[in-house]
Amino acid sequence: MHEMSLCESVLQVLEQQAQLQQFSRIKTVWLEVGALSAVEPEALRFCFGSVAQGTLADQARLEIIEIPGLAECAACTARVAVQQLYDVCPNCGSFQLRIIDGDQMRIKELEVE
Amino acid sequence: MCGVCGCGQDHAHDEQHEHQHHDHQPAGHSHAPGLSPSRMVRIEQDILAKNNLYAADNRRYFGERGILALNLVSSPGSGKTTLLTETIARLRADLPLAVIEGDQQTSRDAERIRAAGAPAVQINTGKGCHLDAHRIGHALHSLALEPASVLFIENVGNLVCPSAFDLGEAHKVVILSVTEGEDKPLKYPDMFRAADLMILNKTDLLPYLEFDSTQCIAYARQVNPRLRVLCLSAKTGEGMDDWLCWIKAALMLQGIGYPST
């Protein structure tokens, strides 16, 4: 459910940027969503469509760039790919994985007119 | 009126915002002849940036006044409110306490807290599934917290969404009751990852259940190796002293101190 409030936050940023950067309509929004962020891309897509209705982003295309999870192991210092927060280091078996990428939710770029 | 959020209240917002150094220059133009001109605009902004800005305001407010803010998160029915009323009963003589209650509807929990002897503000999130830092900021204005005090924020019963929203708290405390599944830390890893302390509540019921506490704690540490764990029963009081000691230690570590008794 919090995908709805995330979409509202996205829209607030878009409206703010529209004033700053002088555009009136948004055709495409690129979001970076990490595999380890607490966001479901499909739910985000669904919510964005309804939140954007009647706004400057009405009918805008939502492009979600999924960023894979990356962690550094505190035990063996290896950099490893992670799919879940409870993954184990494939190198040494430790759970001491520090997430270094793939937990972001960012608005990256817009196509506007 | 607040100039940032336009919410009708007069409160300060920090202009130092972590993404302000990114450039906001358009990345280029991509228009073809005969089509309406469209261009690309780089944003590079965290979706939660606005919430994080309000959280930073709250954190500064707490820091300036010496307030320990604890964000209590769990699924519905884990015993958060009972834990709070029992904590208030034991601590209220020593230091000022206050509670912000988050629920979708009703002010029943705030009434229980007030009956236990602490001021409480109820936030009804309506259709929302979590508290955000902006709503906490407004609740702080109506609470008028005393310096050197503890603020408990009882979040909406939900193990998913509140993990993403920083409220400006010093610690997230996740409460899990032994009537739930011991694999909840694996099923809802975001919350257990975000917490500094896990309280395993309702331990008085363990003799009647097949709950494996050791396994549950192992799962939680698999998700968050730095997680501290306390086992207690808010109902019988067993283990409550450990929780009070943790609060006192957190007060000391925040530089707030604890009044000697």
Side-chain angles (χ1 to χ4, degrees):
Chain A
M1 269 172 76
H2 73 298
E3 276 80 1
M4 193 59 102
S5 47
L6 292 179
C7 286
E8 284 164 0
S9 305
V10 170
L11 199 67
Q12 283 176 358
V13 173
L14 299 184
E15 283 169 347
Q16 203 178 13
Q17 289 293 323
Q19 288 196 334
L20 282 173
Q21 312 220 34
Q22 314 265 308
F23 56 83
S24 56
R25 203 171 85 80
I26 297 169
K27 294 167 80 172
T28 318
V29 180
W30 281 269
L31 296 184
E32 272 184 354
V33 176
L36 304 173
S37 70
V39 179
E40 197 48 57
E42 278 319 305
L44 207 57
R45 238 182 269 279
F46 177 79
C47 294
F48 186 78
S50 14
V51 169
Q53 264 178 34
T55 72
L56 76 172
D58 203 343
Q59 304 294 317
R61 199 156 50 92
L62 188 64
E63 291 284 341
I64 296 179
I65 307 160
E66 295 191 36
I67 310 290
L70 186 68
E72 192 174 75
C73 178
C76 73
T77 74
R79 286 198 165 193
V80 297
V82 281
Q83 273 75 47
Q84 305 290 349
L85 289 175
Y86 49 83
D87 275 356
V88 60
C89 174
N91 205 34
C92 74
S94 166
F95 288 120
Q96 309 267 350
L97 293 177
R98 191 174 60 86
I99 306 301
I100 52 178
D101 201 11
D103 57 353
Q104 65 270 71
M105 294 184 269
R106 293 168 71 76
I107 308 169
K108 190 167 175 58
E109 209 169 13
L110 306 175
E111 183 188 10
V112 302
E113 57 180 36
Chain B
M1 180 175 129
C2 166
V4 176
C5 59
C7 62
Q9 284 202 18
D10 200 12
H11 56 106
H13 290 276
D14 186 2
E15 298 302 323
Q16 292 295 316
H17 134 38
E18 59 181 298
H19 297 293
Q20 68 177 2
H21 304 298
H22 287 286
D23 69 57
H24 288 254
Q25 301 298 317
H29 297 264
S30 64
H31 42 124
L35 294 174
S36 62
S38 66
R39 61 187 166 108
M40 303 299 285
V41 176
R42 276 196 99 73
I43 303 267
E44 298 284 359
Q45 192 168 322
D46 196 312
I47 295 175
L48 288 171
K50 197 167 178 189
N51 182 73
N52 293 342
L53 197 60
Y54 288 117
D57 282 349
N58 295 347
R59 193 163 276 122
R60 192 176 44 254
Y61 181 94
F62 297 139
E64 284 166 2
R65 288 163 182 77
I67 295 162
L68 173 69
L70 301 176
N71 181 0
L72 273 58
V73 290
S74 80
S75 38
S78 67
K80 289 191 296 300
T81 313
T82 303
L83 176 68
L84 279 180
T85 55
E86 291 302 316
T87 305
I88 290 162
R90 287 165 172 79
L91 282 184
R92 57 183 284 216
D94 292 355
L95 77 167
L97 310 166
V99 178
I100 295 174
E101 281 288 341
D103 277 305
Q104 278 201 311
Q105 294 297 342
T106 84
S107 57
R108 296 174 71 97
D109 280 359
E111 285 154 18
R112 282 176 66 189
I113 297 296
R114 288 185 202 116
V121 167
Q122 180 83 45
I123 299 177
N124 283 137
T125 56
K127 292 185 174 52
C129 49
H130 58 269
L131 292 173
D132 62 47
H134 182 227
R135 300 196 74 165
I136 295 299
H138 284 297
L140 292 177
H141 283 270
S142 47
L143 265 177
L145 297 166
E146 291 183 48
S149 62
V150 182
L151 171 68
F152 299 99
I153 302 169
E154 186 182 334
N155 218 314
V156 179
N158 176 348
L159 274 179
V160 185
C161 315
S163 70
F165 292 82
D166 182 10
L167 304 180
E169 73 275 354
H171 305 282
K172 278 193 180 72
V173 178
V174 62
I175 296 137
L176 184 64
S177 62
V178 299
T179 52
E180 303 172 55
E182 59 233 341
D183 54 357
K184 267 209 174 152
L186 296 184
K187 289 176 171 171
Y188 301 93
D190 293 300
M191 190 61 90
F192 291 84
R193 184 95 181 174
D196 294 322
L197 174 71
M198 173 170 96
I199 290 180
L200 206 50
N201 192 19
K202 307 191 190 179
T203 52
D204 55 302
L205 296 176
L206 279 172
Y208 314 104
L209 303 165
E210 288 179 7
F211 188 89
D212 183 343
S213 303
T214 311
Q215 183 64 70
C216 177
I217 294 166
Y219 284 147
R221 292 234 166 91
Q222 189 174 335
V223 172
N224 180 357
R226 292 175 300 111
L227 189 67
R228 311 275 171 157
V229 180
L230 294 174
C231 300
L232 59 84
S233 164
K235 190 176 176 197
T236 66
E238 186 192 10
M240 281 295 284
D241 283 344
D242 296 345
W243 160 234
L244 302 184
C245 285
W246 184 88
I247 294 174
K248 289 173 192 174
L251 280 161
M252 302 301 288
L253 291 168
Q254 289 286 115
I256 299 165
Y258 190 81
S260 52
T261 47

